[in-house]
Amino acid sequence: MDRLINLNSNKKRVIVQGVLLAGAMALADQSVVLPVIVKYFSKSNVMVGFFTSLLRGGAIVMQLYAAFHARNDVLVLPKLKKVFAVRFLSWFSIGLFILLLGNTSPALTLLFFGISLFTFSFSAGFGTIYYQEIMGKMFTKQFRGKLISQRQILAGLISIIGVIGISGSILEWVKAPYSFAFLFLISGVIMGLGYFYFLPFKERASRKGSSPFNTFGSFIRSAALFIRSDRQLRIQIITRLFSFGFMLMMPFIILQAKSIYHISGKEIAWMAGVQMAGAMLANLLWGKLSSHGNDKLIIILALLLNLAAYLSLLIFQNYYLYFVVFFLVGASIDGYRLAFSNMLLSRAPENHRPAYVAIYNNVVAIGLFFAIPGGIILDTFGFTILNLVAITFLVLSLLFATLLHRDCKPME
């Protein structure tokens, strides 16, 4: 085996960078804190859904294009470093825009907020391809699954500390919108430190032959063929797409709790922290299962936890129930993230890994925008109907998950 495979120093850089990135993102958590910020500048639930989707969805737009240009790259780290720089600057600038404009021009603040958020997410389209290529070729399946679990456990711990200690204090004691600006400025610095630590990562050259696809059009056609020729890939795509049913309702749970119980900034931070605690503790199980090749079981268990959370909101109404819901959803989200990613990387042949990742992410990306129709359903039909729709999607995902194979071998 190549001496750089499963290198311990590389493992440390992946974990530290991932932990600091998660901690930074937690300060403006997509599911809890971000909806509150957007709601401050706009009263529209659709706008809340749009910004929530924008944070993740913009990354997908450029993934096929990035995969095309990465098809023959034997080294991708130099390009990944440029992506890190763009993401740091765009995230940090959100804090500056809110600080300078938030108190005088809400509309202009939202505009610049959206542009910077899209740039941050858009650049991740390239970053995801390069990062997944590095993860796929530098670590073996079992080692990678355990690494991801360890990273997510530590990320959960630092996120809990950050969101309760920093976000909670800032939201409670600093007047909005300055509190929002400080969250992005502080998290930008934390994010930048993680990127800087990752820079000395040691990458081996890929053993790739020359790609037969000389045009972007031929590359897209070839990528689409992977779906038609690989039944298990199709099932995984459908399962993952329906699993994003949790996004239909997730951004609006905190707003529902806020409207009913008038919760404070500190309580918002505690709910975000409980969600991260669920993710951290569940990763103890996810990591063990993944190290034994049980990614299918992780997906099924994560879906059951997600369903339990949403069904409880349908049946009961209690202040403390929201803490349980956020705990269960946090556990399920990290289960999805680990198992679907590891399953895909294990399935993709090295020569076609960027194309596999890109075509998969582009198709399932539809689910990243579910928060937008979720906002429309909420405004039109109410929270209960929205919950029922989300539950229906999760049940469909569970049915397709049972068709997945436990062992994922690369296609020839």
Side-chain angles (χ1 to χ4, degrees), residues 63 128-129 132 136 141 144 148 226-227 230 232-234 236-237 240 295 299 336-350 352-362 364 404 408-411:
Q63 282 195 19
T128 297
I129 296 298
Q132 293 283 55
K141 177 185 175 181
R144 184 175 58 239
I148 294 173
F226 294 142
I227 297 180
D230 190 337
Q232 277 296 298
L233 179 62
R234 292 199 302 273
Q236 183 177 340
I237 287 173
R240 182 56 171 143
D295 292 315
I299 293 170
Y336 299 148
R337 185 181 296 124
L338 187 156
F340 281 112
S341 175
N342 204 32
M343 186 177 285
L344 178 67
L345 292 176
S346 301
R347 174 151 208 84
E350 181 173 14
H352 296 301
R353 189 183 297 119
Y356 257 68
V357 172
I359 193 66
Y360 171 85
N361 285 340
N362 270 262
V364 303
L404 290 167
C408 295
K409 298 179 180 180
M411 290 287 290

Side-chain angles (χ1 to χ4, degrees), residues 211-250:
S211 172
F213 312 113
N214 297 319
T215 66
F216 186 49
S218 65
F219 177 77
I220 291 178
R221 288 190 293 272
S222 71
L225 285 174
F226 294 142
I227 297 180
R228 290 203 291 269
S229 62
D230 190 337
R231 181 175 181 271
Q232 277 296 298
L233 179 62
R234 292 199 302 273
I235 294 174
Q236 183 177 340
I237 287 173
I238 295 170
T239 305
R240 182 56 171 143
L241 185 59
F242 279 123
S243 75
F244 274 115
F246 83 90
M247 280 293 294
L248 282 163
M249 192 172 73
M250 191 59 198

Side-chain angles (χ1 to χ4, degrees), residues 184-379:
F184 278 97
L185 292 173
I186 294 170
S187 61
V189 173
I190 296 172
M191 186 183 299
L193 291 174
Y195 289 154
F196 184 78
Y197 184 79
F198 191 86
L199 296 184
F201 187 97
K202 293 180 175 64
E203 179 190 11
R204 74 166 176 85
S206 300
R207 300 181 180 93
K208 295 182 178 180
S210 179
S211 172
F213 312 113
N214 297 319
T215 66
F216 186 49
S218 65
F219 177 77
I220 291 178
R221 288 190 293 272
S222 71
L225 285 174
F226 294 142
I227 297 180
R228 290 203 291 269
S229 62
D230 190 337
R231 181 175 181 271
Q232 277 296 298
L233 179 62
R234 292 199 302 273
I235 294 174
Q236 183 177 340
I237 287 173
I238 295 170
T239 305
R240 182 56 171 143
L241 185 59
F242 279 123
S243 75
F244 274 115
F246 83 90
M247 280 293 294
L248 282 163
M249 192 172 73
M250 191 59 198
F252 308 107
I253 296 176
I254 187 65
L255 299 181
Q256 176 80 351
K258 197 169 184 292
S259 67
I260 295 175
Y261 299 106
H262 307 289
I263 58 179
S264 65
K266 184 171 289 187
E267 288 171 305
I268 291 171
W270 271 100
M271 287 185 180
V274 166
Q275 178 182 322
M276 293 161 193
M280 183 183 69
L281 293 176
N283 270 297
L284 297 172
L285 174 62
W286 302 153
K288 185 173 183 179
L289 291 175
S290 186
S291 67
H292 289 88
N294 287 322
D295 292 315
K296 174 182 176 178
L297 180 58
I298 294 174
I299 293 170
I300 290 174
L301 290 175
L303 285 165
L304 289 174
L305 290 177
N306 208 158
L307 278 167
Y310 284 10
L311 283 168
S312 65
L313 278 178
L314 196 65
I315 300 171
F316 306 106
Q317 187 56 250
N318 181 278
Y319 169 77
Y320 295 102
L321 175 65
Y322 284 93
F323 289 91
V324 176
V325 169
F326 281 117
F327 182 90
L328 294 176
V329 174
S332 64
I333 290 174
D334 265 26
Y336 299 148
R337 185 181 296 124
L338 187 156
F340 281 112
S341 175
N342 204 32
M343 186 177 285
L344 178 67
L345 292 176
S346 301
R347 174 151 208 84
E350 181 173 14
N351 200 43
H352 296 301
R353 189 183 297 119
Y356 257 68
V357 172
I359 193 66
Y360 171 85
N361 285 340
N362 270 262
V363 176
V364 303
I366 298 170
L368 295 172
F369 295 93
F370 281 175
I372 299 175
I376 297 173
I377 295 171
L378 178 60
D379 284 342

Side-chain angles (χ1 to χ4, degrees), residues 3 11 16 20 36 44 52 85 94 108 123 136 143 147 180-181 189 196 224 229 268 279 294 378 390:
R3 66 181 181 84
K11 172 187 173 182
V16 171
L20 291 179
V36 174
S44 170
T52 302
I94 293 174
L108 200 57
S123 60
F143 189 92
L147 184 160
F180 307 147
V189 173
F196 184 78
S229 62
I268 291 171
N294 287 322
L378 178 60

